[in-house]
Amino acid sequence: MKSLTKDVKVVVFDTFGTVVDWRGSIIRDLSIWGRNEGIQADWTALADRWRLEYEPEKNRVRNGEIGWTNLDELHAHALEKVAAEVGIKNLSRSQMQHVNSVWHRLDGWPDAVDGLTRLKRKYVIGPLSNGNVALLVNMAKHAGLPWDNVFSCELFRHFKPHPETYLGVCRLMYLNPAQVMMCAAHNYDLAAARALGLKTAFIPRPIEYGSGQTTDLVPEQDWDIVAKDIIDLAQQMGT
């Protein structure tokens, strides 16, 4: 393992699902807020239905239907649709903005802060995420994520798995692809990174989508590292 990763200088992470528990966080956050606001809603249904719009919304940018639009704005557009579908109606503008900003308030998985802190001792670490800069910075403050830098796809004006996102990290850090490791709970993300020469680490999150999850339960290729969580990744990476 050491020979595979000895040249790595930067370790970047998919964030939604890999580092933070987006589904559980949304349900917890909005359930408390809804009770305080006197709003009865199926927040679990909202979280699941909202996430189903994630790829379709990004595809509106990818296929040229709309110009570059960051994830906060895409989430807001999707929320207008899905809130009505799950029976959440008559929210004020400020209430809708609060709901949409829940993505800024996501909690890390239990191993995230400890594992990232260990990795930070030796490597430059940061999210390579479709989230926009403000979202990722606010999330890091909320969850205590000790990033060295935020490699938001907003900087590259492309969403993953576009090559410019992965190679953009290499360009910004003046590194060859083999000196950058992509870590993710999603096989497609790692496959795109590996095709460009990056090192790869798979961290399964089998309840990202709830107890009935059927995807990304196991590594689909021989990734450079397969770790049970970020603490295990740090150990395997020598920190």
Side-chain angles (χ1 to χ4, degrees):
M1 192 67 64
K2 186 176 180 181
S3 62
L4 290 173
T5 62
K6 65 180 178 65
D7 295 328
V8 171
K9 305 297 183 184
V10 173
V11 183
V12 292
F13 289 80
D14 166 74
T15 305
F16 300 120
T18 303
V19 178
V20 298
D21 174 15
W22 61 266
R23 184 177 186 269
S25 300
I26 290 172
I27 295 167
R28 287 190 298 271
D29 183 295
L30 295 181
S31 293
I32 294 170
W33 176 78
R35 285 196 297 270
N36 292 337
E37 293 286 307
I39 299 169
Q40 294 186 343
D42 186 343
W43 300 111
T44 298
L46 176 70
D48 290 338
R49 183 67 188 85
W50 204 357
R51 189 62 170 181
L52 285 177
E53 293 297 315
Y54 186 59
E55 289 302 323
E57 284 291 328
K58 289 184 293 178
N59 284 339
R60 296 171 63 222
V61 177
R62 291 175 177 134
N63 64 24
E65 178 183 340
I66 58 175
W68 170 256
T69 306
N70 73 27
L71 196 59
D72 269 337
E73 295 175 37
L74 296 179
H75 276 154
H77 181 264
L79 180 60
E80 295 284 348
K81 173 183 177 181
V82 301
E85 289 181 359
V86 300
I88 301 172
K89 301 177 181 178
N90 302 317
L91 296 187
S92 68
R93 180 177 178 83
S94 64
Q95 287 174 322
M96 287 290 279
Q97 289 173 338
H98 180 82
V99 173
N100 194 54
S101 68
V102 73
W103 296 92
H104 294 227
R105 303 188 298 272
L106 304 182
D107 300 322
W109 292 108
D111 55 278
V113 172
D114 188 8
L116 293 175
T117 300
R118 289 178 58 173
L119 283 164
K120 184 183 172 79
R121 297 171 189 164
K122 183 175 180 181
Y123 305 96
V124 172
I125 63 169
L128 175 54
S129 171
N130 289 320
N132 46 292
V133 172
L135 186 160
L136 293 170
V137 170
N138 291 337
M139 183 199 302
K141 280 290 188 183
H142 170 83
L145 306 176
W147 302 128
D148 290 307
N149 192 36
V150 171
F151 298 101
S152 166
C153 288
E154 185 175 35
L155 300 174
F156 313 122
R157 299 179 75 84
H158 290 285
F159 291 119
K160 293 185 299 179
H162 193 285
E164 177 56 26
T165 59
Y166 309 98
L167 295 179
V169 174
C170 304
R171 175 173 51 81
L172 289 176
M173 297 301 297
Y174 294 94
L175 295 174
N176 297 320
Q179 296 175 291
V180 178
M181 171 171 279
M182 180 73 210
C183 306
H186 311 120
N187 285 281
Y188 88 90
D189 205 351
L190 298 181
R194 169 176 276 183
L196 298 166
L198 279 72
K199 299 299 185 183
T200 53
F202 180 69
I203 304 169
R205 297 296 189 186
I207 59 169
E208 175 188 355
Y209 288 90
S211 59
Q213 181 169 324
T214 60
T215 59
D216 290 313
L217 299 177
V218 297
E220 295 175 1
Q221 295 187 37
D222 59 336
W223 308 121
D224 296 306
I225 290 179
V226 175
K228 64 181 181 180
D229 58 24
I230 301 176
I231 294 173
D232 183 38
L233 172 67
Q235 183 173 351
Q236 292 193 49
M237 294 286 288
T239 63

